[in-house]
Amino acid sequence: MKRFFVLLAAVTLLHGAAVAQQKKPVAKKPAGKPATAMPAARLAAGKTVYTQNCLTCHMADGGGVEGMNPPLSKTTWVLGDKTRLVGVVLNGLQDQDIDGEPYRNVMPAQNQLTDQQIADVLTYVRNSFGNKASAVTPAEVKAARAANKK
């Protein structure tokens, strides 16, 4: 009888070890979207604003028109200081060299656009045409607009 209990204990231990080995490891949760991923809705809204207000001069590919309208792809003006970029939209731009190239067409101020529209279009531009940069927020636009009024 003693042998029976020893054998039963051994079988129970072996069975428990086999069951433990069969358990599948818990899958790790995906890390989620990278911090640089832009919400599709923001990009779509920005593209709409771009199509309505910017495409005529800066072209569908963001390439601009040589000597007239600067490109929006991979320039320090687009990828650099967001406050300066917001200022261009709010105040317009004229006779300004962009990355050492002269552009002589006048960009009219687009200050009729809402803070959200400006944030969306600049986020779209900063993440299209080969660009990868942080989003522009409506709060940043609002602050730049307020500083403009002083």
Side-chain angles (χ1 to χ4, degrees):
M1 189 73 155
K2 197 176 197 180
R3 281 181 162 175
F4 175 76
F5 285 115
V6 170
L7 185 57
L8 183 62
V11 170
T12 303
L13 284 173
L14 288 174
H15 177 70
V19 169
Q21 286 179 345
Q22 290 177 358
K23 286 185 180 177
K24 293 181 181 176
V26 176
K28 292 182 180 179
K29 291 183 180 180
K33 292 181 181 178
T36 57
M38 295 296 149
R42 289 256 348 248
L43 294 175
K47 184 175 183 177
T48 298
V49 175
Y50 182 86
T51 301
Q52 294 169 346
N53 298 280
C54 313
L55 183 135
T56 303
C57 296
H58 294 287
M59 305 292 117
D61 65 356
V65 177
E66 190 173 337
M68 292 179 60
N69 307 312
L72 300 176
S73 58
K74 300 179 182 176
T75 71
T76 58
W77 281 72
V78 170
L79 298 174
D81 181 29
K82 291 191 276 185
T83 303
R84 177 177 68 174
L85 186 59
V86 170
V88 170
V89 175
L90 290 173
N91 303 314
L93 194 66
Q94 183 174 355
D95 293 328
Q96 180 67 50
D97 287 0
I98 306 295
D99 293 343
E101 296 292 322
Y103 295 94
R104 299 299 171 229
N105 207 4
V106 175
M107 178 177 161
Q110 300 295 317
N111 58 6
Q112 79 283 358
L113 296 173
T114 67
D115 294 346
Q116 184 68 57
Q117 287 173 314
I118 293 172
D120 288 345
V121 74
L122 292 180
T123 296
Y124 170 74
V125 167
R126 287 169 57 88
N127 288 279
S128 299
F129 319 122
N131 298 326
K132 285 288 178 204
S134 60
V136 176
T137 67
E140 289 170 319
V141 177
K142 184 177 183 174
R145 196 185 296 267
N148 243 8
K149 292 180 181 178
K150 292 180 181 178

